[in-house]
mmCIF file of all heavy atoms in Angstrom:
data_model
loop_
_atom_site.group_PDB
_atom_site.id
_atom_site.type_symbol
_atom_site.label_atom_id
_atom_site.label_comp_id
_atom_site.label_asym_id
_atom_site.label_seq_id
_atom_site.Cartn_x
_atom_site.Cartn_y
_atom_site.Cartn_z
ATOM 1 N N TYR A 54 56.143 -12.290 211.688
ATOM 2 C CA TYR A 54 56.336 -12.888 212.935
ATOM 3 C C TYR A 54 55.798 -11.992 214.034
ATOM 4 O O TYR A 54 55.204 -12.349 214.904
ATOM 5 C CB TYR A 54 57.746 -13.391 213.036
ATOM 6 C CG TYR A 54 58.143 -14.798 212.818
ATOM 7 C CD1 TYR A 54 57.894 -15.189 211.544
ATOM 8 C CD2 TYR A 54 58.383 -15.702 213.874
ATOM 9 C CE1 TYR A 54 58.197 -16.512 211.258
ATOM 10 C CE2 TYR A 54 58.534 -16.987 213.479
ATOM 11 C CZ TYR A 54 58.530 -17.430 212.254
ATOM 12 O OH TYR A 54 58.765 -18.732 211.927
ATOM 13 N N LEU A 55 56.101 -10.693 213.918
ATOM 14 C CA LEU A 55 55.872 -9.692 214.941
ATOM 15 C C LEU A 55 54.230 -9.624 214.989
ATOM 16 O O LEU A 55 53.622 -9.608 216.089
ATOM 17 C CB LEU A 55 56.444 -8.329 214.792
ATOM 18 C CG LEU A 55 57.880 -8.316 215.044
ATOM 19 C CD1 LEU A 55 58.402 -6.855 214.647
ATOM 20 C CD2 LEU A 55 58.055 -8.495 216.560
ATOM 21 N N GLY A 56 53.636 -9.555 213.849
ATOM 22 C CA GLY A 56 52.156 -9.463 213.722
ATOM 23 C C GLY A 56 51.632 -10.757 214.317
ATOM 24 O O GLY A 56 50.580 -10.698 215.065
ATOM 25 N N LEU A 57 52.059 -11.932 213.958
ATOM 26 C CA LEU A 57 51.497 -13.195 214.474
ATOM 27 C C LEU A 57 51.691 -13.258 215.996
ATOM 28 O O LEU A 57 50.731 -13.657 216.713
ATOM 29 C CB LEU A 57 52.186 -14.442 213.875
ATOM 30 C CG LEU A 57 51.740 -14.538 212.359
ATOM 31 C CD1 LEU A 57 52.731 -15.620 211.783
ATOM 32 C CD2 LEU A 57 50.321 -14.943 212.213
ATOM 33 N N ALA A 58 52.882 -12.731 216.533
ATOM 34 C CA ALA A 58 53.153 -12.773 217.931
ATOM 35 C C ALA A 58 52.034 -11.816 218.623
ATOM 36 O O ALA A 58 51.554 -12.064 219.786
ATOM 37 C CB ALA A 58 54.421 -12.229 218.255
ATOM 38 N N GLY A 59 51.782 -10.687 218.003
ATOM 39 C CA GLY A 59 50.754 -9.747 218.618
ATOM 40 C C GLY A 59 49.448 -10.414 218.587
ATOM 41 O O GLY A 59 48.699 -10.236 219.610
ATOM 42 N N LEU A 60 49.083 -11.060 217.536
ATOM 43 C CA LEU A 60 47.802 -11.757 217.417
ATOM 44 C C LEU A 60 47.654 -12.748 218.540
ATOM 45 O O LEU A 60 46.505 -12.859 219.152
ATOM 46 C CB LEU A 60 47.664 -12.408 216.087
ATOM 47 C CG LEU A 60 46.299 -12.972 215.782
ATOM 48 C CD1 LEU A 60 45.137 -11.984 215.762
ATOM 49 C CD2 LEU A 60 46.290 -13.766 214.488
ATOM 50 N N VAL A 61 48.633 -13.592 218.793
ATOM 51 C CA VAL A 61 48.606 -14.510 219.828
ATOM 52 C C VAL A 61 48.453 -13.894 221.298
ATOM 53 O O VAL A 61 47.737 -14.215 222.070
ATOM 54 C CB VAL A 61 49.847 -15.452 219.789
ATOM 55 C CG1 VAL A 61 50.028 -16.260 221.119
ATOM 56 C CG2 VAL A 61 49.759 -16.388 218.637
ATOM 57 N N SER A 62 49.260 -12.748 221.509
ATOM 58 C CA SER A 62 49.303 -12.046 222.621
ATOM 59 C C SER A 62 47.961 -11.475 223.031
ATOM 60 O O SER A 62 47.647 -11.263 224.272
ATOM 61 C CB SER A 62 50.460 -11.077 222.784
ATOM 62 O OG SER A 62 50.157 -9.996 222.021
ATOM 63 N N ILE A 63 47.166 -10.998 222.022
ATOM 64 C CA ILE A 63 45.840 -10.314 222.334
ATOM 65 C C ILE A 63 44.672 -11.319 222.262
ATOM 66 O O ILE A 63 43.539 -10.937 222.743
ATOM 67 C CB ILE A 63 45.585 -9.130 221.439
ATOM 68 C CG1 ILE A 63 45.477 -9.464 219.998
ATOM 69 C CG2 ILE A 63 46.717 -8.116 221.707
ATOM 70 C CD1 ILE A 63 45.102 -8.358 219.144
ATOM 71 N N THR A 64 44.884 -12.516 221.731
ATOM 72 C CA THR A 64 43.817 -13.481 221.658
ATOM 73 C C THR A 64 43.874 -14.740 222.614
ATOM 74 O O THR A 64 43.139 -14.957 223.403
ATOM 75 C CB THR A 64 43.485 -13.894 220.062
ATOM 76 O OG1 THR A 64 44.819 -14.567 219.674
ATOM 77 C CG2 THR A 64 43.174 -12.792 219.362
ATOM 78 N N ILE A 65 45.021 -15.348 222.279
ATOM 79 C CA ILE A 65 45.138 -16.666 222.985
ATOM 80 C C ILE A 65 45.651 -16.654 224.422
ATOM 81 O O ILE A 65 45.120 -17.208 225.325
ATOM 82 C CB ILE A 65 46.105 -17.650 222.183
ATOM 83 C CG1 ILE A 65 45.418 -17.996 220.872
ATOM 84 C CG2 ILE A 65 46.293 -18.985 222.902
ATOM 85 C CD1 ILE A 65 46.281 -18.712 219.882
#
Side-chain angles (χ1 to χ4, degrees):
Y54 262 68
L55 286 173
L57 292 170
L60 184 64
V61 167
S62 66
I63 63 172
T64 58
I65 297 172

